[in-house]
């Protein structure tokens, strides 16, 4: 099963309390191109006072990393690991927001992403053994697994912000949803059909309620 299929099943199969609100929302457009986009969307505000945080606990953070192929099944995360993930997510969201708004990115967020980028090598290393010969592996200690995952996500965020997809980056146009997406279809400004329907319903209500 490839990573895209794992992500789809992950979003369809969420059952924990914090997952319930997002279970009705499919992955936002563009997450198949950029894991950092899905990373930024692991927390969001939704209508009716709902919200979710898929990195709220070590277990949920571990599940997200595993689904995205960013860690091995035998890696155990601790509270500090989940906190580090949430911290970097906040900085990635700040950089995405600045790009969408056309404002200067926060220095602290630039620094945090650059620190994650340079903390560890992200490229698989070349190794050899008699059984399998030459191969590329992510050969790093288990306790450094989160560093590698964060470096990979930081690199992807940097690629998104400096590549051709940067001009497609947007926030969902259906308040209060604050998920990010890529506008893969010219006029699309919503992260999901649900948000699009809600925005259209709000506009229709506003027209009906406007004084003649």
């Amino acid at each position: 099963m490839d990573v895209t299929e794992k992500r789809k099943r992950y979003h369809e199969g969420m059952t924990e309390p914090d997952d319930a609100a997002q279970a009705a929302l499919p992955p936002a457009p563009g997450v198949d191109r950029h894991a950092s986009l899905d990373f930024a969307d692991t927390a969001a505000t939704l209508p009716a006072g709902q919200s979710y945080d898929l990195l709220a606990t070590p277990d949920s953070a571990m599940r997200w990393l595993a689904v995205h192929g960013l860690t091995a099944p035998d890696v155990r995360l601790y509270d500090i690991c989940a906190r580090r993930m949430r911290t970097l997510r906040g900085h990635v969201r700040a950089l995405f927001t600045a790009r969408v708004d056309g404002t200067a990115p926060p220095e602290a967020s630039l620094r945090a992403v650059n620190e994650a980028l340079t903390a560890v090598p992200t490229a698989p290393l070349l190794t050899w053994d008699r059984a399998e010969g030459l191969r590329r592996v992510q050969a790093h200690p288990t306790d450094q697994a989160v560093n590698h995952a964060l470096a990979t996500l930081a690199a992807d965020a940097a690629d998104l912000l400096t590549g051709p997809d940067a001009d497609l980056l947007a926030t969902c146009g259906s308040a209060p949803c604050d998920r990010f997406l890529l506008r893969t279809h010219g006029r699309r400004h919503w992260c999901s059909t649900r948000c699009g329907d809600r925005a259209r319903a709000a506009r229709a209500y506003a027209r009906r309620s406007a004084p003649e």
Side-chain angles (χ1 to χ4, degrees):
M1 184 188 305
D2 62 19
V3 171
T4 300
E5 182 63 22
K6 285 182 179 179
R7 290 177 187 172
K8 180 180 177 182
R9 293 192 181 188
Y10 170 72
H11 282 271
E12 291 175 346
M14 290 183 287
T15 57
E16 294 187 0
D18 279 342
D19 297 339
Q22 199 200 15
L25 292 176
V31 301
D32 56 329
R33 300 187 197 178
H34 295 283
S36 61
L37 192 65
D38 212 20
F39 180 56
D41 286 345
T42 54
T45 301
L46 300 176
Q50 291 184 313
S51 63
Y52 66 82
D53 186 346
L54 301 182
L55 309 179
T57 67
D59 285 346
S60 63
M62 174 63 202
R63 190 162 59 251
W64 189 89
L65 287 175
V67 165
H68 290 75
L70 293 172
T71 192
D74 59 342
V75 173
R76 180 182 178 186
L77 295 192
Y78 299 91
D79 285 337
I80 190 172
C81 301
R83 284 199 301 271
R84 290 179 60 208
M85 291 178 66
R86 293 193 298 270
T87 297
L88 182 64
R89 177 186 63 195
H91 288 301
V92 168
R93 287 185 62 87
L95 292 175
F96 284 2
T97 298
R99 179 63 177 78
V100 170
D101 294 344
T103 58
E107 286 292 335
S109 297
L110 287 172
R111 186 165 56 251
V113 167
N114 283 330
E115 287 174 354
L117 276 170
T118 56
V120 291
T122 57
L125 304 178
L126 183 65
T127 188
W128 178 89
D129 60 51
R130 292 185 181 279
E132 299 187 43
L134 286 168
R135 56 197 176 98
R136 301 281 300 273
V137 297
Q138 291 285 8
H140 52 268
T142 297
D143 62 356
Q144 295 295 310
V146 172
N147 286 348
H148 279 259
L150 295 182
T152 300
L153 290 166
D156 185 82
D159 287 343
L160 169 53
L161 289 166
T162 59
D165 284 341
D167 290 335
L168 303 179
L169 186 63
T171 52
C172 184
S174 182
C177 181
D178 55 359
R179 294 210 302 173
F180 291 94
L181 66 143
L182 293 185
R183 289 188 294 124
T184 50
H185 299 288
R187 299 181 62 185
R188 179 168 184 168
H189 289 270
W190 306 296
C191 72
S192 66
T193 301
R194 172 181 164 186
C195 282
D197 290 345
R198 189 172 63 253
R200 285 187 286 269
R203 286 202 301 268
Y205 177 79
R207 286 195 297 269
R208 291 195 302 271
S209 303
E212 297 181 359

